[in-house]
Amino acid sequence: MEHEQLRIFDEDRNQIGVASRKDVHRIGYWHEAFHCWFVSNEKGIDYIYLQLRSDIKKDYPNLLDITAAGHLLADETVKDGIREIKEEIGIDVPFDELVPLGVFDYCVIKENFIDKELANVFLYKSENTFDDFTLQAEEVSGIVKAEFNDFTKLWLGERETIEIKGFEINKDGNNTLWDIVQTLYIKGLKSLKLFSKVIIPNF
């Protein structure tokens, strides 16, 4: 995965070449990503879905993240990015059913890691249940949902905790629904800077 080839861009979004994923994050090149947020309305209540990143992930293990997301390889178009949904969470989604929200700059700098993404962000209005998800265990270890308004308040600092429901992959590789509602704290989230910039105004 570290040797995957990605297109790289300058500050004005002009392509300047191709580099390995390892070098992209070491040097801090701008590169393209695909983000898809699942949302639903159930009995009049809006929900947002998040994936639980696998504990073996190099970056941000065991944190909640965008429903499905990933890098666009050097030979891929934005439309090809829809493969991330099928690969990570096992849901077939036609590209024309996605709601495009735009391309947004996303930058996170940590020790020996610079993530500068040009994120192609989409919304998917889902009618799926937890039983419909088939997870790529090395990438994703669970799926949760939260009431959209509660999650928004958590992200904007208006609440300290919210309730979430979901499931995780058990040691036998099967999906196990949680018996109780879990409590989510902001520290349990990967940095989701684009949420307040993109999702709230467009949902």
Side-chain angles (χ1 to χ4, degrees):
M1 186 173 290
E2 288 291 297
H3 299 293
E4 291 176 342
Q5 297 296 300
L6 311 179
R7 287 189 297 273
I8 57 176
F9 299 82
D10 63 20
E11 298 293 332
D12 297 317
R13 300 186 180 181
N14 299 307
Q15 185 176 343
I16 57 174
V18 173
S20 69
R21 178 171 175 159
K22 181 178 180 180
D23 283 345
V24 161
H25 291 145
R26 180 179 61 84
I27 299 171
Y29 290 123
W30 285 102
H31 58 286
E32 293 176 301
F34 175 90
H35 292 185
C36 184
W37 294 86
F38 277 38
V39 294
S40 67
N41 185 280
E42 302 168 33
K43 297 180 180 178
I45 300 174
D46 294 323
Y47 288 91
I48 187 166
Y49 286 72
L50 300 104
Q51 65 163 257
L52 178 63
R53 294 169 65 87
S54 169
D55 60 3
I56 63 173
K57 291 283 289 182
K58 179 181 178 182
D59 306 318
Y60 311 106
N62 281 326
L63 294 181
L64 293 172
D65 199 359
I66 300 158
T67 323
H71 293 87
L72 292 178
L73 303 180
D75 61 349
E76 290 185 316
T77 66
V78 174
K79 188 174 182 178
D80 293 325
I82 202 167
R83 66 172 172 77
E84 293 288 350
I85 302 174
K86 179 64 175 178
E87 289 175 2
E88 291 191 347
I89 60 176
I91 303 290
D92 282 309
V93 177
F95 186 79
D96 59 8
E97 291 187 12
L98 300 182
V99 180
L101 302 182
V103 182
F104 298 85
D105 298 350
Y106 171 87
C107 180
V108 173
I109 300 175
K110 300 171 63 178
E111 284 187 30
N112 303 316
F113 181 82
I114 307 171
D115 195 13
K116 298 172 72 174
E117 292 186 356
L118 300 174
N120 296 268
V121 184
F122 296 87
L123 200 67
Y124 177 62
K125 296 179 180 179
S126 172
E127 296 182 358
N128 298 104
T129 68
F130 286 139
D131 290 336
D132 296 324
F133 290 86
T134 302
L135 306 185
Q136 185 182 15
E138 62 270 26
E139 296 283 337
V140 183
S141 59
I143 294 288
V144 305
K145 68 178 181 180
E147 290 190 24
F148 186 86
N149 288 338
D150 289 348
F151 186 79
T152 299
K153 290 176 182 178
L154 177 73
W155 188 248
L156 297 179
E158 297 172 8
R159 291 186 61 163
E160 294 185 0
T161 65
I162 61 172
E163 293 182 344
I164 54 175
K165 300 177 182 178
F167 70 89
E168 290 184 78
I169 301 175
N170 63 26
K171 62 182 180 180
D172 298 319
N174 298 314
N175 296 349
T176 302
L177 283 170
W178 294 341
D179 293 328
I180 60 174
V181 175
Q182 304 282 334
T183 300
L184 173 63
Y185 298 82
I186 193 71
K187 66 182 180 181
L189 296 170
K190 178 189 169 186
S191 178
L192 303 175
K193 290 182 178 180
L194 291 182
F195 176 76
S196 54
K197 185 177 181 180
V198 182
I199 306 303
I200 294 174
N202 286 281
F203 185 65

